[in-house]
Amino acid sequence: MKCNKCSHEIDRPLELYNGRWCCPDCKKDIFPDTDTEFAVTAHNRESFVRSEEYYYKWLTSSDESRKTRFKYLDKAVNLCYESAFEYHPSALMRLGYYYDKGYADFGSAGAERWRAAYFYYKAVLFNEHRGVNTQDGEERYVDEVTQIKLQCGKYMLELLECPPVEVRKKTSFDGFESIEKLRVAVAQKIVDLGGAVESYGGGSSSREPDVAAMAYAALRACADEERAPVFAIFKLSKSQAQRLIFESGNESFSIVESVGRDLKLKIAQAYDEKEIDGKFADFKSSNALMNYVKDKCPDNGIYLCFFNWLGGHKYLKRKKDRNVVCSALEDNSCAAIKMLIKAGKYNSCVFYDDDFYKYDEGRKGLNKKEMEKFVKEVCEEE
């Protein structure tokens, strides 16, 4: 794909923790917006068709092993990414659906996947282009794009029925005074496109997230050979912490067996929703971790964060860069981690190489000042 900001050809954009895309060359946001021109080419059409074939295999493979089934799903999502990165409208809609249903980016928590789904749907539903512009300037596929937009509208109304707690707490969202005002705008857009709006509750209900399950998904992703997470923070009650550590042994990935030099956990007692009580302690061995969670886990719960160098790390291959990430977050009694906690960046953000590489401005490797900028901007983000 070609970056629409610097015009450089790029294989794949950086995928940030909040679902946005960023050019690895100029580091600018290139996520599709309402003025983005859709494109249908031989390449992105083939990628999308193959993606749908693998998705169908996943849906109809209940008699196959779990490992095989999820290979189908992984292939479907990856091919959909390839097509969406070239702005194929159906792929953008489907990728929003994958985030919406938790099929994409297993390592990220529910709130960030919800936001990603919302912005994919928005980029299609509210897009100002009626169809797809061809190289000769002709607008084609108007009827098809209209149907894709209407499907996005349906998905979007369903998405807005159950916003995450982090969104419900806000008095406004994405320029709208309330979620209800946003629902009205979506419904009106559907009508403008010639569709019908089915009744919806208009409430602000929200499923409470299973934090232990989210933490396990993030930790399990640490072994991914293609793209593994680097850092995340979770706030867990005593029972959630015990379930996370002791029940994971029954799954295909064991946290206890994986803790070591390349996967380090840090744990501190929770004081409240914004602060820890005392200091963070490092857990680099399975015995220490199990003993703590079994016998010493406080009733107030814990903040658990991890640093991971298992799996694949395309943009942080050098030990020097990894050390900068760790030291910047751990220096001064984990001051940066405490800032992220105070800003509420736990249970919702899982950070990958891409997130840190975005701040490597000189391309000579991360430095302390760039890491400080990363922490500051993440904390200030709404």
Side-chain angles (χ1 to χ4, degrees), residues 83-96:
S83 184
F85 288 152
E86 296 181 4
Y87 303 123
H88 190 294
S90 293
L92 291 168
M93 177 190 70
R94 178 64 84 186
L95 203 49

Side-chain angles (χ1 to χ4, degrees), residues 2-10 12-14 21-31 315 357-358 363:
K2 181 179 287 189
C3 173
N4 55 23
K5 300 294 174 62
C6 68
S7 298
H8 284 184
E9 288 289 340
I10 55 179
R12 191 179 182 103
L14 303 178
W21 304 348
C22 180
C23 174
D25 288 310
C26 68
K27 306 297 178 68
K28 292 183 179 177
D29 188 310
I30 56 173
F31 193 83
Y315 295 108
Y357 182 71
K358 178 180 184 292
R363 299 198 181 186

